[in-house]
Amino acid sequence: TLSMMYERELDLRVKLQDSLQSLKGNIRVFCRIRPLLAHEIDAGETEALTAQDEMTVVAMDPEKPEASNSFTFDRIFTATDTQQAVFDEMRQLCLSAMDGFNVCLFAYGVTGSGKTYTVEGGEGARDNPEHHGLVYRTLKELFRIAYGERSGAYDTTIEVQLMELYNEEYRDLLQSDPKAPKPE
């Protein structure tokens, strides 16, 4: 029957997706070079990181250009890469999550390095979908898969956690009650 054929094709897609993720690596490290902010440009600041290619970034001290260091990642996103380009690299993780695998995105960096920009979105993200970060795009994609692509094929439960670790304290970003117990 048609339903059996669909289930067979879905099983095949899951196996192929799992193989692809294994080939790419279950843990991948990306680097995102945040665009300079308006006040940084006004102050005459320059970017300290330059993408040498899609996998290598060069960190340069403007006062000592000869003392540069290069670092290799699985992928480099430059200051001109859009939020959509970053999400497109992560999109397959949504399928993995919908196939029952645990998925985690971990954004790391010093204050002002662009974690919030990447994860939540840039200025005006609420009003302009082009600025939506990974959280908005991921949730939209999960619901598209669950209630569009796989609508009626499965009972779906989606659970999301959005945590922040700041100064060695966890904060649940989805908890609206500031007096709620802190996660351990």
Side-chain angles (χ1 to χ4, degrees), residues 106-178:
F106 183 78
Y108 177 80
V110 299
T111 299
S113 62
K115 299 175 301 294
T116 301
Y117 175 80
T118 298
V119 175
E120 292 181 19
E123 293 177 14
R126 288 184 187 260
D127 302 322
N128 186 345
E130 286 182 28
H131 296 288
H132 285 176
L134 293 175
V135 171
Y136 293 105
R137 293 172 191 273
T138 298
L139 289 172
K140 185 176 177 182
E141 180 69 2
L142 289 174
F143 284 104
R144 184 197 68 76
I145 294 168
Y147 301 108
E149 185 176 304
R150 297 184 183 178
S151 183
Y154 298 96
D155 288 332
T156 303
T157 301
I158 296 175
E159 294 180 22
V160 176
Q161 291 181 324
L162 189 58
M163 307 295 291
E164 177 181 69
L165 173 61
Y166 184 72
N167 287 337
E168 298 185 28
E169 285 197 23
Y170 287 100
R171 205 174 87 195
D172 184 345
L173 298 178
L174 299 177
Q175 177 60 259
S176 59
D177 180 7

Side-chain angles (χ1 to χ4, degrees), residues 89-106:
E89 187 69 36
M90 313 292 172
R91 182 186 303 270
Q92 296 303 316
L93 296 177
C94 294
L95 276 173
S96 292
M98 294 304 293
D99 291 339
F101 294 95
N102 290 325
V103 174
C104 176
L105 168 70
F106 183 78

Side-chain angles (χ1 to χ4, degrees), residues 33-89:
I33 301 172
R34 175 182 59 77
L36 291 175
L37 301 173
H39 73 274
E40 294 169 332
I41 294 168
D42 292 343
E45 294 182 26
T46 59
E47 291 181 353
L49 297 176
T50 306
Q52 189 172 359
D53 55 41
E54 280 197 358
M55 297 175 70
T56 309
V57 68
V58 177
M60 202 170 10
D61 182 343
E63 295 174 17
K64 298 179 196 168
E66 69 282 353
S68 65
N69 292 304
S70 63
F71 302 92
T72 303
F73 296 90
D74 292 300
R75 171 81 194 268
I76 305 291
F77 295 98
T78 67
T80 58
D81 282 318
T82 63
Q83 296 284 60
Q84 184 64 45
V86 176
F87 176 70
D88 286 343
E89 187 69 36

